[in-house]
Amino acid sequence: MAEIATRIEKMASQGCEQLSLLRYRLSPADVFKSVGPKLVPFFKTFCVYFVAWQPESSKPTVFAAIIKILPILCLCGFVMLQGISMQKDHDYSRRILIGLIFSAIGDICLVWKYQLFIHGMAAFAIAHLAYMRAFGFQPLKPLTGMICLFIMLPTYHLYFPNLNGMLAIAVPLYIVIIGIMVWRAISGLQAQLLSDDGLWRWTKLCACLGALSFGISDTVIGFNMFYFPVPYSRFIVMTTYYAGQLGIALSTFSLDDENNLRMKSNIKQE
């Protein structure tokens, strides 16, 4: 009887905790107050990139490469501020950081696109694998995966006539990798929406929107290079790319910070 009473008490305690969290959900204003100052360097370097608007593939320079990767390096700093270690608690942030680092390497390679395009694609593929590993494979949601691949794979048919040599192998492989990455991000959001506790974790939404934006960016690159010239392609690619990386980086907002904000919100409301 004592054991049953203990279990009932524990379940009641968990229920009260969930109700408390539901009552004091974070508002966007609360989150912005916490992460906003940490993102100031990103937004500044984002603006610098578009104001400077250095020529890249047509006239690549080291300065153009530095300007291009500065926003990503700022996001690396943001992720590190959330906490980084080799402990299991920081697996997610560590994998996102690895993805950002390889993205920066890919950015540098694509400044010299005509010489290092394959290298850049390989770096971004590793970044997507890191993001994929961070998002995880539970729950699997196979139907979502089939839909993602069904949407993305037909682009290979459009690109194929203009793919030669290594690109004929690398491009479809890359499409599959980014398709899986997007699938895992969407699945994470789906699982959160359908969770029994009903708690909203906005970080899953950030990861999902970030992955989708990244996918759009890469799709525009593919169309522009292998199918037809896309008007204002570089502007579209870079805005969706930086937005995607921002969303993915924001998904590392730590649970400890979230709980602290909830407690502050709780105190203010009481």
Side-chain angles (χ1 to χ4, degrees):
M1 291 295 293
E3 184 179 350
I4 294 174
T6 302
R7 288 183 180 179
I8 293 173
E9 184 179 350
K10 185 177 180 181
M11 291 173 63
S13 176
Q14 290 175 345
C16 291
E17 183 179 352
Q18 288 182 359
L19 287 173
S20 176
L21 288 175
L22 282 169
R23 182 182 175 189
Y24 298 111
R25 289 181 183 178
L26 289 178
S27 69
D30 292 328
V31 175
F32 181 77
K33 288 177 184 177
S34 176
V35 303
K38 300 175 185 177
L39 290 174
V40 169
F42 166 78
F43 287 113
K44 284 184 176 180
T45 52
F46 173 85
C47 293
V48 167
Y49 173 81
F50 285 99
V51 170
W53 201 247
Q54 292 292 300
E56 294 182 3
S57 56
S58 60
K59 192 178 179 182
T61 63
V62 173
F63 179 70
I66 293 173
I67 291 294
K68 188 176 185 180
I69 66 171
L70 279 178
I72 304 302
L73 295 181
C74 291
L75 290 179
C76 288
F78 172 81
V79 172
M80 293 176 70
L81 287 173
Q82 305 309 306
I84 285 290
S85 72
M86 297 305 294
Q87 296 179 358
K88 188 174 180 61
D89 290 346
H90 289 150
D91 280 353
Y92 185 87
S93 294
R94 188 172 64 251
R95 289 161 185 164
I96 296 299
L97 179 62
I98 291 171
L100 288 169
I101 291 171
F102 275 95
S103 294
I105 295 171
D107 283 333
I108 294 171
C109 292
L110 292 188
V111 171
W112 286 270
K113 180 171 64 176
Y114 296 117
Q115 296 84 17
L116 300 174
F117 183 77
I118 289 289
H119 302 78
M121 186 181 294
F124 277 115
I126 295 172
H128 291 315
L129 290 171
Y131 292 153
M132 187 193 311
R133 186 72 180 88
F135 299 150
F137 283 85
Q138 294 297 330
L140 192 60
K141 302 287 184 183
L143 180 60
T144 303
M146 291 173 62
I147 293 172
C148 289
L149 292 177
F150 179 78
I151 292 172
M152 299 196 73
L153 283 178
T155 58
Y156 176 65
H157 175 72
L158 301 176
Y159 302 160
F160 181 75
N162 296 309
L163 298 177
N164 300 306
M166 282 291 295
L167 288 176
I169 300 172
V171 169
L173 181 60
Y174 185 84
I175 291 173
V176 170
I177 290 173
I178 193 170
I180 295 174
M181 187 274 289
V182 172
W183 163 37
R184 297 321 308 152
I186 295 174
S187 296
L189 179 60
Q190 285 180 307
Q192 192 62 50
L193 292 174
L194 299 174
S195 63
D196 293 334
D197 59 21
L199 295 178
W200 174 252
R201 292 297 302 281
W202 68 275
T203 52
K204 297 292 186 181
L205 177 62
C206 288
C208 180
L209 293 178
L212 287 170
S213 186
F214 207 149
I216 292 170
S217 176
D218 280 350
T219 301
V220 174
I221 290 177
F223 271 89
N224 190 62
M225 289 191 64
F226 306 121
Y227 191 53
F228 66 85
V230 178
Y232 308 106
S233 60
R234 183 181 166 193
F235 177 80
I236 297 171
V237 166
M238 295 311 298
T239 50
T240 52
Y241 169 68
Y242 285 137
Q245 296 283 31
L246 174 62
I248 292 172
L250 278 172
S251 71
T252 64
F253 185 70
S254 68
L255 184 60
D256 289 340
D257 288 341
E258 190 171 344
N259 288 335
N260 289 337
L261 285 177
R262 279 199 176 98
M263 290 175 65
K264 290 178 182 178
S265 177
N266 188 339
I267 292 170
K268 287 179 181 178
Q269 292 185 34
E270 291 180 348

